[in-house]
């Protein structure tokens, strides 16, 4: 598979070729690819690539290969759900192959991975259509955080999808994006992709959000999600929870946008979502320069959880879910 | 005057020698020195240096020199009050000199600048004493933002003064500091000075504050201020307002610590405080690397205003002020 190395943006557009589950796992760990839906697609592709590798060799034990690739990919990042969801789906397809020839198994699992990507592309578009209804007419200013755009998905993004659709339909919309420390996905990725699409984007430091809301410069906040629990609690990039509290304080709607594959019915509430703690070096020396004492302790949770009661609505590819989320989610997930 | 160049911390300790008002003004503009009380001291020193320079030359017009130095220094940064306060005080001393000989005027104004610095040193200590009463016993965790420490003042800081005193008295206290984008005063300065003093400091990205409060890991928030209006509204580094909202949401006390020289009775409310907008480049390319598209629009307000109703108490060198702040401030400012 070909992959745009997101750690090099916005200054360089470098494409990498990945040929094994190990290479995909490494790309996920160091965040050359990130964003919950994109991680689901990448993990599925990683499994398919690894099975194809094994099938090319002698005496392939595809079941063992599948199990190892699955475990490796599953171990990369714990918080997002789409990755586990996609691997689970690949597992079902693998088991359904029964005793078929290796070439047929590889073809089936490659097709499944491709289908996951294609379905995500469509889900993004549907999220965009539903989300568009939430924009309060012309000239709305949307605040978003991190990157829940094209770079995070197989399509036009989740949180950003309504913005792309507004642009497509000639509805003026402004975007304010927080830079999203420590890894600056807002500055490096969202500002980059929205700017390329010709959108009106303003970049701010994350801590400016409150002042902008107080001045009436934000009409709504919309973010993606890495995992949504059965009760509607949503894990997303660190800082999302603070935005939700600020939005509530200022009477501004706070929306979460995600495909159903981000919802984990087996996670009862946000308290059950494991939060990835990343390296202190991401905070201590972020920009090619040491920006803190080398020996200072760092807390670097990559995500936080926004409780359902702060979420105005969840925009999914099956429609807009409103509180109470427990029932709305259960209904949306019915086959 | 000698000055530690704060833009080079924490990696280099470089001292600069400044000999004129123009050099001091430039150091203030590019933030080699910053922090409201420190800017008051620097501006007073800048005036004294400039008068000394003029007095060394032939036919010195000290009144013109004073007026020009004052205007130049006043133009550097608009939000903080101590700078204007110190220049006003230097003006009163200058006028009191009447027709004295240049050498006597220079001596008087140098003495006044030294007095401003010395008084600030004492004010910090008093703020520390009063603030210490607000720490909830042993093992409290204090969240602070930006740098309101020794580097921002003539003494042991404002927000950080109670922490230094706790350490002095063997009271265990933990500090969490937000890195404070864009210029990272929390990471580069507060983490550095508290670490050198042997304090227990943990560094986080600014947007992690909400998650830490939700997890019960913060007992109180204390920040400095750049200007406090007559009604208690307080301008401080961008992000402070968001912290105050988060503290309120979590039922955590939010304190502002500042000497009386930060209070401007001529500013009725926060709406009357001019907010400095700084260069977009501070956000677009932090610290030696381009981190956003070169052409992206940036909003970069250096400060925000926390309304008095979110402030639990204001810790000054004259005691702890409680709401209603209008009356408390008027009383504290009585001569």
């Amino acid at each position: 598979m070909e992959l745009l190395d997101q750690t090099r943006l916005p200054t360089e557009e470098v494409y990498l070729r990945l040929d094994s589950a190990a290479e995909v796992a490494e790309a996920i760990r160091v965040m050359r690819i990130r964003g919950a839906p994109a991680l689901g697609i990448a993990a599925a592709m990683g499994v398919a690539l690894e099975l194809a590798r094994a099938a090319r060799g002698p005496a392939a034990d595809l079941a063992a290969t599948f199990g190892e690739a699955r475990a490796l990919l599953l171990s990369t990042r714990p918080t997002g759900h789409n990755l586990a969801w996609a691997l689970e789906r690949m597992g079902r397809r693998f088991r359904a192959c029964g005793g078929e020839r290796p070439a047929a198994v590889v073809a089936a699992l490659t097709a499944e991975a491709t289908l996951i990507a294609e379905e995500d592309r469509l889900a993004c578009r549907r999220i965009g259509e539903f989300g568009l209804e939430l924009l309060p007419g012309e000239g709305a200013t949307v605040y978003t955080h991190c990157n829940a755009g094209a770079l995070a998905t197989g399509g036009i993004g989740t949180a950003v999808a309504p913005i792309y659709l507004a642009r497509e339909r000639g509805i003026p919309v402004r975007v304010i994006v927080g830079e999203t420390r420590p890894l600056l996905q807002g500055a490096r990725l969202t500002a980059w992709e929205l700017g390329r699409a010709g959108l009106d984007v303003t970049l701010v430091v994350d801590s400016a959000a409150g002042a902008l809301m107080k001045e009436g410069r934000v009409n709504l906040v919309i973010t993606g999600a890495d995992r949504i629990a059965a009760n509607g609690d949503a894990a997303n990039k660190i800082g999302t929870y603070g935005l939700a509290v600020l939005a509530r304080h200022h009477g501004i709607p706070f929306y979460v946008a995600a495909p159903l594959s981000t919802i984990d019915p087996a996670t009862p509430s946000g308290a059950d979502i494991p939060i990835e703690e990343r390296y202190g070096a991401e905070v201590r020396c972020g920009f090619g320069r040491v920006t803190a004492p080398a020996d200072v302790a760092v807390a670097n949770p990559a995500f936080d959880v926004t409780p359902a009661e702060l979420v105005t609505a969840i925009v999914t590819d099956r429609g807009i879910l409103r509180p109470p989320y427990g029932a709305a989610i259960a209904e949306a997930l019915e086959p």
Side-chain angles (χ1 to χ4, degrees), chain A:
Chain A
M1 68 185 277
E2 277 235 319
L3 183 106
L4 175 56
D5 183 349
Q6 298 191 20
T7 63
R8 311 284 282 271
L9 290 173
T11 44
E12 298 169 280
E13 285 179 54
V14 177
Y15 285 84
L16 304 173
R17 198 184 150 75
L18 307 180
D19 290 311
S20 68
E23 286 176 10
V24 173
E26 179 60 15
I28 291 174
R29 264 203 200 91
V30 303
M31 298 177 70
R32 299 192 198 288
I33 185 164
R34 24 66 50 208
L39 292 186
I41 296 167
M45 294 286 187
V47 164
L49 284 169
E50 195 61 28
L51 288 172
R53 256 165 61 92
R56 282 195 296 272
D61 178 351
L62 289 193
T65 298
F66 180 87
E68 284 160 24
R70 182 185 164 284
L72 176 66
L73 288 158
L74 202 53
S75 73
T76 51
R77 302 197 63 201
T79 303
H81 180 57
N82 305 63
L83 196 148
W85 170 87
L87 290 170
E88 175 63 30
R89 189 166 148 175
M90 294 293 279
R92 282 198 301 276
R93 183 72 179 251
F94 184 79
R95 289 188 296 278
C97 289
E100 287 188 46
R101 284 176 309 112
V105 175
V106 169
L109 273 91
T110 304
E112 188 72 17
T114 307
L115 192 63
I116 286 173
E118 181 58 19
E119 285 178 12
D120 191 63
R121 195 180 69 76
L122 293 173
C124 288
R125 199 134 192 113
R126 282 193 207 105
I127 289 169
E129 299 276 355
F130 289 119
L132 205 50
E133 298 168 23
L134 302 172
L135 296 188
E138 303 211 342
T141 298
V142 179
Y143 188 103
T144 190
H145 186 59
C146 196
N147 175 266
L151 290 165
T153 63
I156 57 170
T158 53
V160 160
I163 296 164
Y164 280 123
L165 284 196
R167 163 103 189 144
E168 227 178 86
R169 295 175 193 182
I171 303 163
V173 59
R174 281 191 295 268
V175 182
I176 299 176
V177 60
E179 60 174 6
T180 318
R181 278 284 284 154
L183 295 182
L184 299 169
Q185 292 92 336
R188 296 189 304 105
L189 309 181
T190 303
W192 180 79
E193 66 165 271
L194 294 185
R196 272 166 56 120
L199 277 146
D200 178 350
V201 190
T202 299
L203 177 66
V204 297
V205 297
D206 301 313
S207 75
L212 296 171
M213 290 186 199
K214 182 148 77 82
E215 289 163 16
R217 291 165 70 180
V218 176
N219 298 111
L220 68 152
V221 180
I222 184 164
T223 74
D226 291 84
R227 188 189 309 203
I228 299 173
N231 71 343
D233 292 352
N236 193 47
K237 181 54 55 196
I238 189 75
T240 304
Y241 169 62
L243 290 171
V245 171
L246 285 166
R248 171 62 52 92
H249 184 82
H250 294 90
I252 295 168
F254 176 85
Y255 301 115
V256 170
L260 292 184
S261 50
T262 299
I263 303 177
D264 181 13
T267 298
S269 80
D272 306 296
I273 301 177
I275 298 297
E276 178 183 4
E277 177 80 21
R278 291 184 64 86
Y279 311 109
E282 291 181 355
V283 181
R284 265 190 229 103
C285 32
F287 306 92
R289 185 178 146 188
V290 172
T291 53
D295 58 349
V296 70
V298 168
N300 186 22
F303 303 94
D304 57 26
V305 173
T306 299
E309 61 263 29
L310 294 178
V311 179
T312 310
I314 301 174
V315 188
T316 77
D317 47 318
R318 282 264 187 105
I320 296 173
L321 311 185
R322 300 269 182 186
Y325 290 113
I329 284 173
E331 194 189 326
L333 289 179
E334 271 171 18

